[in-house]
Amino acid sequence: MAQDSPTILHSTEPVVSIVVPTLNEADNIDRLLEGIRTAMAGLQPYEVLIVDDASRDGTAQRALAWQDRMNVRVIERQAPPDLSGAVLDGARAARAAWVVVMDADGSHPPDRLPALLEPLLAGTHDVTIGSRHAEGGLTEGWPWQRHLTSGVATLLAWPFTEVRDPMAGFFATTRERLLDLKNQTAGYKILLELLVQGGDRIRTLEVPIHFEDRRHGQSKLGLNQQLTYLKRLAWLAGGRVSLGSASKFGLVGLAGMVVDLLLFQLMIGSGSGLGPAHVASFVVATVVNFFLNHGWTFRGQAQASMPLGQRYARFFIVAVMALMIRGGVLVLLVDVFGLSAMAAIVPAILVTAGVNYLGSAFYVFA
Ligand code: GDD
C-alpha cells in the first residue's frame, strides 16, 4: 500500500477520519469534499482519507488538489480492487479513533455526518448507519432494477440482523471495531460483516438519509460483487451452506423443477392464466422440496430443539418471499422483455431456488 506524504498544513490530531473508497470518481470529488467541509465546519477536527484503487481518471490528483483547504490524504492501493479492502486499508491508515465510511459519488449526504457522529461521540451507540429504510429515509433516482437487487440482497440479510438497511455504505464506528473484522471480509457489504461479527452486543442506530443516485460516472456494483456477497453470506451462516448441501439442494431442486414445469405446462395448456399457474406449480413444488430437504439435504444439521411447527412456519415465510420474487421475475421477463411464459418460468424457478436454498440454510434448517 503506497501512501502520499502526510499533509503538513493541519497539525491538529483528527478526532474523526472520513474514509472514502474511490474507483474512477474524479468528477464527484469536488462536490463531495465541499459538502464534507461545509457539514464538518465548527465540529470535531477531522481528516478525509481517499482510498483509491488505481483510478485512471485522475481521482487521486483531484483530491490532492484540496490539501491546501482541507486535511485530505490519498491512499493508493496496489491490491486487486475491492471496496471492503479499501475501507479496511482506510481504517488502518486512519489517525482518529472514530471512522465514518461514505461513498464518493454524492449518494450519501454529507450534511448527515453530524447526526451520525453525535451518538458515537456521546457513547450511546457503537455503530450509526445512514439508513434509507429508517423512518424518514428514502432512495432517490434509482431504476427499478436497482431497487429489486437491493431489496433481494436486504431480504437475504434479514436472518442476520435487525438493522433495516444492512446494505448501507454510509456508516460510522470506531477504527478498532473495523480492524477487528476477520480478514476474509470482501466485497460491498462491510457493514453487514460488522453487524454480524459484532454480535448482539453492538448498539446500533439508524439515522434516516435521502440517498441520491450518482450524477457522474457509473456504479461498480456488478455480478462479481453480487456473487461475493452470496459467498460472504455463506461464510457468515457458519457452514450450513456448503458444496455438499448445495449439491443435494440442487438435485432436490431439479426434482421440484420437474414437478413445477409439468404442472405449470399442464395449467397453461388447459387455459389457466399466468398468475394461477405460477402460484399452484410453485406451491406444489416447494412442498416436495421441503420434505426432501428436511429428510436429506439438511438432515442432522438443523437444531433438533426447534419444534416442527415453527420450522414449517419459517419454511412458509421463506416460500412466500420466494414466491413474491418469482412473481416479480416472471412479470419482468414476460411483460418487459417479451418472453413467453414457458421461457420465463425457467429463470424464475432458478432465482427462486437460490432464494430458497439460502433461506433454508440460514433460517429454516438453521
Ligand atoms: N477503492 C475502491 N475499490 N472503491 C470502490 C470500489 C473498489 O473496488 N468499488 C466501488 N468503490 C467506491 C466507488 O468509487 C464509490 O465511491 C463507492 O465505492 C460506492 O460504489 P458504487 O459502485 O457507486 O456503489 P453503488 O452506488 O452502486 O452502491 C451503493 O449502494 C449500495 C446499497 O445498495 C453504495 O452505497 C454501496 O456501498 C451500498 O452498499
Side-chain angles (χ1 to χ4, degrees), residues 138-144 146-147 211-214:
L138 61 91
T139 305
E140 287 174 289
W142 262 7
W144 64 265
R146 271 307 299 261
H147 282 288
F211 180 104
E212 209 186 293
D213 198 14
R214 57 166 64 241

Side-chain angles (χ1 to χ4, degrees), residues 21-23 25 51-53 81-83 86 103-105 107-108 132 142 146 150 167-169 188-189 211 214 219-221:
T22 56
L23 191 56
E25 300 291 0
V51 192
D52 192 53
D53 262 317
D82 178 60
L83 182 49
D103 292 355
D105 58 9
S107 298
H108 298 148
R132 297 160 295 176
W142 262 7
R146 271 307 299 261
S150 179
M167 302 294 114
Y188 260 51
K189 307 304 170 197
F211 180 104
R214 57 166 64 241
S219 166
K220 286 91 199 174
L221 179 60

Side-chain angles (χ1 to χ4, degrees), residues 118-136:
E118 204 239 325
L120 286 183
L121 297 172
T124 55
H125 294 87
D126 304 311
V127 178
T128 52
I129 299 154
S131 172
R132 297 160 295 176
H133 304 315
E135 212 176 317

